Amino acid sequence: MTDPADDFDLQDFLPYLLNQAAEATSRGFQAAYRDRYGFTRTQWRVMANLGKFGAMTARDICAISHIEKTKVSRAVAALEQAGLLSRAPSATDRRAELLSLTGQGRAVFAELGGLALAFDRQLRAVLGTEDAERLVSLLRRLAQAVPPGAGAED
Amino acid sequence: MTDPADDFDLQDFLPYLLNQAAEATSRGFQAAYRDRYGFTRTQWRVMANLGKFGAMTARDICAISHIEKTKVSRAVAALEQAGLLSRAPSATDRRAELLSLTGQGRAVFAELGGLALAFDRQLRAVLGTEDAERLVSLLRRLAQAVPPGAGAED
DNA sequence: AAGAACAAGTTGCATCTGCAACGAACTGGA
DNA sequence: TCCAGTTCGTTGCAGATGCAACTTGTTCTT
């Protein structure tokens, strides 16, 4: 039986390869914050966005980073609990809250952001500057071509 | 304060970009098996390996696909439960079991493998043949450069 | 040939996640 | 103004996962 599926090889399947690379690199960096603080990947990402862009609402974080709102909500709660983030009422919408890093939160972000930058440089060095840029461009094209379904991420 | 972390932007962070692309594409294909059968990504991958390579032990699946043994164990249990996979004692090691798809399992793999192939072609079409190949090569280089830590994946 | 070290799989537990449902607040049209 | 329809954010719940501990069987060392 000449089945079309006979031609299928998981090792050549793009979603699989992407996951492999994503997991390998994420894990590599995860070691940096996991051992030091007990962060979740989501928590780290929320912090990274607030660190980079300053105060914003949970909704903004969702929109920018394509993280599901449930995850953001829980990450925010955890970061607040840890004293790294604080909430303030939004001036324009009483449902929303303006989120921002506390002094301690900014300090942690400064440290982890530095580590992240170094880690990223290491990865790019593996590929070479030119190929690294190519990869970034290809990934963006792919992610954009497959619009985030209902949910978003992970 | 000129902090090194100020230069950090999550949107340019390779692990982040890889995750975005991986999630978007995985989700896209997940719709195919999720709605039809209730598969987990891991279950689908285990099945894909058995479908492609025939009978092997859980350990082999771990080695080939870099999936953690716990996940494989549970996926195998679920697939067996669903009647898609069967176990047979290994001739050479009484701890291990030879896993293989049942007739029904092969039928399901034939269907999903076909869908996967079609989905992959769609993705590659977005990038163009040449860039798709480039991407595959870059991803392999990256994954190889960052050896899977203790665990493995997801 | 016996015991220590090691490998294959499974399981308990704590955590993370997705989805759907929810309360509260906002918005637009009649 | 008032009500239907949306949106922000949180929570309940069921399922998936990682890690460590464990059972059983194998291999290595001496």
Side-chain angles (χ1 to χ4, degrees):
Chain A
M1 30 145 125
T2 49
D3 203 306
D6 287 347
D7 295 336
F8 176 71
D9 190 335
L10 191 62
Q11 311 292 325
D12 295 329
F13 192 39
L14 270 177
Y16 176 77
L17 290 168
L18 286 163
N19 267 296
Q20 292 290 314
E23 279 306 320
T25 56
S26 281
R27 257 174 203 284
F29 179 60
Q30 192 177 38
Y33 56 85
R34 194 178 197 297
D35 297 340
R36 211 184 269 291
Y37 315 94
F39 291 159
T40 290
R41 218 180 306 194
T42 307
Q43 280 163 253
W44 149 246
R45 286 183 190 170
V46 165
M47 200 168 62
N49 276 298
L50 288 175
K52 179 72 183 182
F53 299 115
M56 56 178 150
T57 70
R59 203 205 141 278
D60 295 332
I61 298 182
C62 290
I64 291 181
S65 61
H66 296 225
I67 305 177
E68 212 224 349
K69 64 179 182 175
T70 304
K71 287 208 300 200
V72 171
S73 172
R74 284 167 173 144
V76 165
L79 291 171
E80 182 185 32
Q81 176 76 23
L84 304 177
L85 173 155
S86 67
R87 315 184 194 221
S90 160
T92 61
D93 188 334
R94 271 185 296 168
R95 290 170 303 180
E97 293 175 304
L98 261 188
L99 309 170
S100 57
L101 295 182
T102 62
Q104 209 187 115
R106 281 192 297 277
V108 170
F109 170 66
E111 180 187 348
L112 287 189
L115 289 178
L117 216 49
F119 186 78
D120 202 53
R121 290 209 183 95
Q122 263 186 299
L123 287 181
R124 286 166 192 262
V126 167
L127 300 178
T129 311
E130 200 174 323
D131 277 351
E133 271 315 309
R134 240 200 280 278
L135 177 60
V136 169
S137 149
L138 288 169
L139 292 176
R140 289 220 169 95
R141 270 210 279 158
L142 251 196
Q144 196 180 2
V146 187
E153 202 217 7
D154 252 278
Chain B
M1 30 147 117
T2 49
D3 202 303
D6 287 346
D7 295 337
F8 176 71
D9 188 335
L10 192 62
Q11 312 291 326
D12 295 329
F13 192 39
L14 269 177
Y16 175 79
L17 289 168
L18 285 163
N19 267 298
Q20 293 290 316
E23 278 306 321
T25 56
S26 281
R27 256 175 205 283
F29 180 60
Q30 192 177 37
Y33 55 83
R34 194 179 197 296
D35 296 340
R36 211 184 269 290
Y37 315 93
F39 291 159
T40 291
R41 216 181 302 192
T42 307
Q43 282 164 253
W44 149 246
R45 285 182 190 171
V46 166
M47 201 168 61
N49 276 298
L50 288 175
K52 179 72 182 184
F53 299 114
M56 57 178 149
T57 70
R59 201 205 141 278
D60 295 331
I61 296 181
C62 291
I64 291 182
S65 61
H66 297 219
I67 305 177
E68 211 222 351
K69 64 180 182 174
T70 305
K71 285 208 300 199
V72 171
S73 172
R74 284 169 172 142
V76 165
L79 291 172
E80 183 185 31
Q81 175 76 24
L84 304 177
L85 173 156
S86 67
R87 313 184 194 222
S90 160
T92 61
D93 189 335
R94 269 184 299 167
R95 289 170 304 182
E97 293 175 305
L98 262 188
L99 309 170
S100 56
L101 295 182
T102 62
Q104 208 186 116
R106 281 192 298 278
V108 171
F109 170 65
E111 180 187 348
L112 287 189
L115 289 178
L117 216 48
F119 185 77
D120 202 52
R121 290 211 184 94
Q122 263 185 299
L123 287 180
R124 286 166 193 262
V126 167
L127 301 177
T129 311
E130 202 174 321
D131 277 352
E133 271 315 308
R134 240 200 279 279
L135 177 60
V136 169
S137 151
L138 290 169
L139 291 175
R140 288 219 170 95
R141 270 210 279 159
L142 253 195
Q144 196 179 2
V146 186
E153 202 216 5
D154 252 278

